[in-house]
PDB file of all heavy atoms in Angstrom:
ATOM      1  N   LYS A   1     133.735  96.326  25.698  1.00 98.00           N
ATOM      2  CA  LYS A   1     132.953  95.078  25.454  1.00 98.00           C
ATOM      3  C   LYS A   1     131.605  95.457  24.802  1.00 98.00           C
ATOM      4  O   LYS A   1     131.125  94.717  23.921  1.00 98.00           O
ATOM      5  CB  LYS A   1     132.706  94.333  26.752  1.00 98.00           C
ATOM      6  CG  LYS A   1     133.948  93.618  27.240  1.00 98.00           C
ATOM      7  CD  LYS A   1     133.706  92.880  28.555  1.00 98.00           C
ATOM      8  CE  LYS A   1     134.906  92.169  29.052  1.00 98.00           C
ATOM      9  NZ  LYS A   1     134.665  91.480  30.341  1.00 98.00           N
ATOM     10  N   ALA A   2     130.957  96.517  25.206  1.00 97.00           N
ATOM     11  CA  ALA A   2     129.719  96.938  24.612  1.00 97.00           C
ATOM     12  C   ALA A   2     129.899  97.320  23.144  1.00 97.00           C
ATOM     13  O   ALA A   2     129.077  96.951  22.296  1.00 97.00           O
ATOM     14  CB  ALA A   2     129.124  98.120  25.400  1.00 97.00           C
ATOM     15  N   TRP A   3     130.954  98.042  22.830  1.00 97.00           N
ATOM     16  CA  TRP A   3     131.229  98.388  21.435  1.00 97.00           C
ATOM     17  C   TRP A   3     131.465  97.144  20.619  1.00 97.00           C
ATOM     18  O   TRP A   3     130.978  96.989  19.473  1.00 97.00           O
ATOM     19  CB  TRP A   3     132.402  99.320  21.320  1.00 97.00           C
ATOM     20  CG  TRP A   3     132.130 100.713  21.839  1.00 97.00           C
ATOM     21  CD1 TRP A   3     130.962 101.386  21.831  1.00 97.00           C
ATOM     22  CD2 TRP A   3     133.092 101.613  22.424  1.00 97.00           C
ATOM     23  NE1 TRP A   3     131.124 102.638  22.356  1.00 97.00           N
ATOM     24  CE2 TRP A   3     132.429 102.805  22.750  1.00 97.00           C
ATOM     25  CE3 TRP A   3     134.462 101.527  22.677  1.00 97.00           C
ATOM     26  CZ2 TRP A   3     133.046 103.898  23.304  1.00 97.00           C
ATOM     27  CZ3 TRP A   3     135.085 102.619  23.238  1.00 97.00           C
ATOM     28  CH2 TRP A   3     134.391 103.783  23.534  1.00 97.00           C
ATOM     29  N   GLN A   4     132.231  96.186  21.167  1.00 98.00           N
ATOM     30  CA  GLN A   4     132.486  94.941  20.451  1.00 98.00           C
ATOM     31  C   GLN A   4     131.198  94.128  20.230  1.00 98.00           C
ATOM     32  O   GLN A   4     130.977  93.574  19.186  1.00 98.00           O
ATOM     33  CB  GLN A   4     133.570  94.126  21.172  1.00 98.00           C
ATOM     34  CG  GLN A   4     134.927  94.769  21.084  1.00 98.00           C
ATOM     35  CD  GLN A   4     135.947  94.075  21.948  1.00 98.00           C
ATOM     36  OE1 GLN A   4     135.629  93.561  23.065  1.00 98.00           O
ATOM     37  NE2 GLN A   4     137.230  94.082  21.520  1.00 98.00           N
ATOM     38  N   ALA A   5     130.355  94.118  21.251  1.00 98.00           N
ATOM     39  CA  ALA A   5     129.045  93.367  21.176  1.00 98.00           C
ATOM     40  C   ALA A   5     128.201  94.001  20.090  1.00 98.00           C
ATOM     41  O   ALA A   5     127.370  93.287  19.462  1.00 98.00           O
ATOM     42  CB  ALA A   5     128.352  93.378  22.516  1.00 98.00           C
ATOM     43  N   ALA A   6     128.364  95.319  19.841  1.00 98.00           N
ATOM     44  CA  ALA A   6     127.592  95.993  18.796  1.00 98.00           C
ATOM     45  C   ALA A   6     128.224  95.804  17.421  1.00 98.00           C
ATOM     46  O   ALA A   6     127.747  96.396  16.448  1.00 98.00           O
ATOM     47  CB  ALA A   6     127.482  97.473  19.135  1.00 98.00           C
ATOM     48  N   GLY A   7     129.285  95.014  17.333  1.00 97.00           N
ATOM     49  CA  GLY A   7     129.914  94.724  16.063  1.00 97.00           C
ATOM     50  C   GLY A   7     131.065  95.640  15.681  1.00 97.00           C
ATOM     51  O   GLY A   7     131.592  95.542  14.553  1.00 97.00           O
ATOM     52  N   GLU A   8     131.477  96.521  16.585  1.00 97.00           N
ATOM     53  CA  GLU A   8     132.583  97.431  16.266  1.00 97.00           C
ATOM     54  C   GLU A   8     133.918  96.738  16.557  1.00 97.00           C
ATOM     55  O   GLU A   8     134.052  95.932  17.457  1.00 97.00           O
ATOM     56  CB  GLU A   8     132.443  98.676  17.117  1.00 97.00           C
ATOM     57  CG  GLU A   8     131.248  99.540  16.775  1.00 97.00           C
ATOM     58  CD  GLU A   8     131.269 100.845  17.503  1.00 97.00           C
ATOM     59  OE1 GLU A   8     132.326 101.490  17.586  1.00 97.00           O
ATOM     60  OE2 GLU A   8     130.193 101.234  17.983  1.00 97.00           O
ATOM     61  N   ARG A   9     134.890  97.111  15.738  1.00 96.00           N
ATOM     62  CA  ARG A   9     136.278  96.670  16.003  1.00 96.00           C
ATOM     63  C   ARG A   9     136.973  97.821  16.721  1.00 96.00           C
ATOM     64  O   ARG A   9     136.899  98.973  16.254  1.00 96.00           O
ATOM     65  CB  ARG A   9     136.977  96.294  14.717  1.00 96.00           C
ATOM     66  CG  ARG A   9     136.506  94.995  14.161  1.00 96.00           C
ATOM     67  CD  ARG A   9     137.160  94.629  12.874  1.00 96.00           C
ATOM     68  NE  ARG A   9     136.629  95.545  11.851  1.00 96.00           N
ATOM     69  CZ  ARG A   9     137.142  95.719  10.636  1.00 96.00           C
ATOM     70  NH1 ARG A   9     138.227  95.062  10.322  1.00 96.00           N
ATOM     71  NH2 ARG A   9     136.604  96.531   9.772  1.00 96.00           N
ATOM     72  N   VAL A  10     137.581  97.501  17.839  1.00 97.00           N
ATOM     73  CA  VAL A  10     138.151  98.554  18.690  1.00 97.00           C
ATOM     74  C   VAL A  10     139.682  98.508  18.664  1.00 97.00           C
ATOM     75  O   VAL A  10     140.299  97.506  18.914  1.00 97.00           O
ATOM     76  CB  VAL A  10     137.682  98.336  20.148  1.00 97.00           C
ATOM     77  CG1 VAL A  10     138.271  99.387  21.083  1.00 97.00           C
ATOM     78  CG2 VAL A  10     136.128  98.414  20.221  1.00 97.00           C
ATOM     79  N   VAL A  11     140.233  99.691  18.351  1.00 96.00           N
ATOM     80  CA  VAL A  11     141.676  99.906  18.470  1.00 96.00           C
ATOM     81  C   VAL A  11     141.843 100.803  19.707  1.00 96.00           C
ATOM     82  O   VAL A  11     141.283 101.883  19.776  1.00 96.00           O
ATOM     83  CB  VAL A  11     142.271 100.597  17.214  1.00 96.00           C
ATOM     84  CG1 VAL A  11     143.765 100.882  17.443  1.00 96.00           C
ATOM     85  CG2 VAL A  11     142.056  99.737  15.992  1.00 96.00           C
ATOM     86  N   MET A  12     142.609 100.318  20.660  1.00 96.00           N
ATOM     87  CA  MET A  12     142.775 101.064  21.918  1.00 96.00           C
ATOM     88  C   MET A  12     144.207 101.525  22.017  1.00 96.00           C
ATOM     89  O   MET A  12     145.149 100.777  21.779  1.00 96.00           O
ATOM     90  CB  MET A  12     142.436 100.149  23.114  1.00 96.00           C
ATOM     91  CG  MET A  12     142.710 100.765  24.437  1.00 96.00           C
ATOM     92  SD  MET A  12     141.606 102.086  24.825  1.00 96.00           S
ATOM     93  CE  MET A  12     142.239 102.633  26.377  1.00 96.00           C
ATOM     94  N   VAL A  13     144.394 102.804  22.327  1.00 96.00           N
ATOM     95  CA  VAL A  13     145.742 103.349  22.576  1.00 96.00           C
ATOM     96  C   VAL A  13     145.752 103.773  24.037  1.00 96.00           C
ATOM     97  O   VAL A  13     144.908 104.549  24.478  1.00 96.00           O
ATOM     98  CB  VAL A  13     146.026 104.575  21.667  1.00 96.00           C
ATOM     99  CG1 VAL A  13     147.419 105.119  21.972  1.00 96.00           C
ATOM    100  CG2 VAL A  13     145.868 104.171  20.216  1.00 96.00           C
ATOM    101  N   GLY A  14     146.695 103.273  24.773  1.00 94.00           N
ATOM    102  CA  GLY A  14     146.827 103.618  26.193  1.00 94.00           C
ATOM    103  C   GLY A  14     148.206 103.364  26.707  1.00 94.00           C
ATOM    104  O   GLY A  14     148.963 102.587  26.145  1.00 94.00           O
ATOM    105  N   ASP A  15     148.554 104.037  27.812  1.00 90.00           N
ATOM    106  CA  ASP A  15     149.919 103.827  28.339  1.00 90.00           C
ATOM    107  C   ASP A  15     149.938 103.739  29.844  1.00 90.00           C
ATOM    108  O   ASP A  15     151.015 103.545  30.448  1.00 90.00           O
ATOM    109  CB  ASP A  15     150.884 104.928  27.858  1.00 90.00           C
ATOM    110  CG  ASP A  15     150.487 106.318  28.364  1.00 90.00           C
ATOM    111  OD1 ASP A  15     149.429 106.459  29.026  1.00 90.00           O
ATOM    112  OD2 ASP A  15     151.264 107.256  28.119  1.00 90.00           O
ATOM    113  N   GLY A  16     148.813 103.796  30.528  1.00 90.00           N
ATOM    114  CA  GLY A  16     148.782 103.699  31.972  1.00 90.00           C
ATOM    115  C   GLY A  16     148.535 102.276  32.418  1.00 90.00           C
ATOM    116  O   GLY A  16     147.913 101.472  31.713  1.00 90.00           O
ATOM    117  N   ILE A  17     149.001 101.932  33.586  1.00 91.00           N
ATOM    118  CA  ILE A  17     148.780 100.593  34.122  1.00 91.00           C
ATOM    119  C   ILE A  17     147.308 100.244  34.214  1.00 91.00           C
ATOM    120  O   ILE A  17     146.910  99.135  33.964  1.00 91.00           O
ATOM    121  CB  ILE A  17     149.469 100.424  35.504  1.00 91.00           C
ATOM    122  CG1 ILE A  17     150.987 100.436  35.328  1.00 91.00           C
ATOM    123  CG2 ILE A  17     149.041  99.153  36.240  1.00 91.00           C
ATOM    124  CD1 ILE A  17     151.799 100.367  36.614  1.00 91.00           C
ATOM    125  N   ASN A  18     146.495 101.262  34.511  1.00 91.00           N
ATOM    126  CA  ASN A  18     145.041 100.986  34.566  1.00 91.00           C
ATOM    127  C   ASN A  18     144.449 100.716  33.185  1.00 91.00           C
ATOM    128  O   ASN A  18     143.291 100.288  33.073  1.00 91.00           O
ATOM    129  CB  ASN A  18     144.328 102.167  35.236  1.00 91.00           C
ATOM    130  CG  ASN A  18     144.461 103.449  34.454  1.00 91.00           C
ATOM    131  OD1 ASN A  18     145.303 103.574  33.594  1.00 91.00           O
ATOM    132  ND2 ASN A  18     143.651 104.436  34.789  1.00 91.00           N
ATOM    133  N   ASP A  19     145.200 100.920  32.124  1.00 93.00           N
ATOM    134  CA  ASP A  19     144.753 100.597  30.769  1.00 93.00           C
ATOM    135  C   ASP A  19     144.991  99.126  30.363  1.00 93.00           C
ATOM    136  O   ASP A  19     144.490  98.689  29.348  1.00 93.00           O
ATOM    137  CB  ASP A  19     145.423 101.493  29.740  1.00 93.00           C
ATOM    138  CG  ASP A  19     144.975 102.928  29.851  1.00 93.00           C
ATOM    139  OD1 ASP A  19     143.834 103.176  30.268  1.00 93.00           O
ATOM    140  OD2 ASP A  19     145.805 103.848  29.560  1.00 93.00           O
ATOM    141  N   ALA A  20     145.731  98.403  31.167  1.00 93.00           N
ATOM    142  CA  ALA A  20     146.129  97.035  30.824  1.00 93.00           C
ATOM    143  C   ALA A  20     144.927  96.154  30.522  1.00 93.00           C
ATOM    144  O   ALA A  20     144.965  95.429  29.476  1.00 93.00           O
ATOM    145  CB  ALA A  20     147.029  96.428  31.889  1.00 93.00           C
ATOM    146  N   PRO A  21     143.878  96.120  31.345  1.00 94.00           N
ATOM    147  CA  PRO A  21     142.749  95.240  31.006  1.00 94.00           C
ATOM    148  C   PRO A  21     142.050  95.639  29.689  1.00 94.00           C
ATOM    149  O   PRO A  21     141.610  94.782  28.945  1.00 94.00           O
ATOM    150  CB  PRO A  21     141.781  95.426  32.188  1.00 94.00           C
ATOM    151  CG  PRO A  21     142.552  96.019  33.269  1.00 94.00           C
ATOM    152  CD  PRO A  21     143.686  96.789  32.634  1.00 94.00           C
ATOM    153  N   VAL A  22     141.966  96.926  29.421  1.00 96.00           N
ATOM    154  CA  VAL A  22     141.294  97.380  28.215  1.00 96.00           C
ATOM    155  C   VAL A  22     142.138  97.098  27.006  1.00 96.00           C
ATOM    156  O   VAL A  22     141.626  96.691  25.946  1.00 96.00           O
ATOM    157  CB  VAL A  22     141.001  98.897  28.311  1.00 96.00           C
ATOM    158  CG1 VAL A  22     140.229  99.378  27.138  1.00 96.00           C
ATOM    159  CG2 VAL A  22     140.233  99.210  29.581  1.00 96.00           C
ATOM    160  N   LEU A  23     143.452  97.230  27.133  1.00 96.00           N
ATOM    161  CA  LEU A  23     144.346  96.870  26.020  1.00 96.00           C
ATOM    162  C   LEU A  23     144.246  95.387  25.696  1.00 96.00           C
ATOM    163  O   LEU A  23     144.275  95.011  24.525  1.00 96.00           O
ATOM    164  CB  LEU A  23     145.788  97.273  26.380  1.00 96.00           C
ATOM    165  CG  LEU A  23     146.072  98.760  26.430  1.00 96.00           C
ATOM    166  CD1 LEU A  23     147.465  98.997  27.052  1.00 96.00           C
ATOM    167  CD2 LEU A  23     145.986  99.383  25.067  1.00 96.00           C
ATOM    168  N   ALA A  24     144.119  94.581  26.735  1.00 95.00           N
ATOM    169  CA  ALA A  24     143.983  93.123  26.495  1.00 95.00           C
ATOM    170  C   ALA A  24     142.664  92.777  25.831  1.00 95.00           C
ATOM    171  O   ALA A  24     142.608  91.865  25.005  1.00 95.00           O
ATOM    172  CB  ALA A  24     144.094  92.369  27.829  1.00 95.00           C
ATOM    173  N   GLN A  25     141.607  93.529  26.101  1.00 97.00           N
ATOM    174  CA  GLN A  25     140.276  93.285  25.518  1.00 97.00           C
ATOM    175  C   GLN A  25     140.108  93.785  24.112  1.00 97.00           C
ATOM    176  O   GLN A  25     139.404  93.216  23.317  1.00 97.00           O
ATOM    177  CB  GLN A  25     139.208  93.925  26.420  1.00 97.00           C
ATOM    178  CG  GLN A  25     137.774  93.764  25.923  1.00 97.00           C
ATOM    179  CD  GLN A  25     137.335  92.287  25.910  1.00 97.00           C
ATOM    180  OE1 GLN A  25     137.639  91.550  26.831  1.00 97.00           O
ATOM    181  NE2 GLN A  25     136.610  91.895  24.855  1.00 97.00           N
ATOM    182  N   ALA A  26     140.768  94.898  23.775  1.00 97.00           N
ATOM    183  CA  ALA A  26     140.609  95.496  22.473  1.00 97.00           C
ATOM    184  C   ALA A  26     140.980  94.576  21.320  1.00 97.00           C
ATOM    185  O   ALA A  26     141.789  93.658  21.519  1.00 97.00           O
ATOM    186  CB  ALA A  26     141.416  96.804  22.390  1.00 97.00           C
ATOM    187  N   ASP A  27     140.402  94.799  20.172  1.00 97.00           N
ATOM    188  CA  ASP A  27     140.760  93.983  18.996  1.00 97.00           C
ATOM    189  C   ASP A  27     142.215  94.196  18.613  1.00 97.00           C
ATOM    190  O   ASP A  27     142.899  93.288  18.237  1.00 97.00           O
ATOM    191  CB  ASP A  27     139.830  94.312  17.840  1.00 97.00           C
ATOM    192  CG  ASP A  27     138.384  93.983  18.165  1.00 97.00           C
ATOM    193  OD1 ASP A  27     138.106  92.799  18.380  1.00 97.00           O
ATOM    194  OD2 ASP A  27     137.549  94.881  18.182  1.00 97.00           O
TER     195      ASP A  27
END
């Protein structure tokens, strides 16, 4: 969220269940 607020577009690569919220937030 901080990176996005700074104007960055975020591509997230993840495969763990704990990554689900971050994957949903990423651009």
Side-chain angles (χ1 to χ4, degrees):
K1 287 180 179 179
W3 289 330
Q4 290 171 327
E8 294 186 42
R9 288 179 286 167
V10 177
V11 177
M12 174 68 183
V13 179
D15 64 355
I17 290 178
N18 62 345
D19 292 329
V22 184
L23 290 169
Q25 179 65 40
D27 297 298

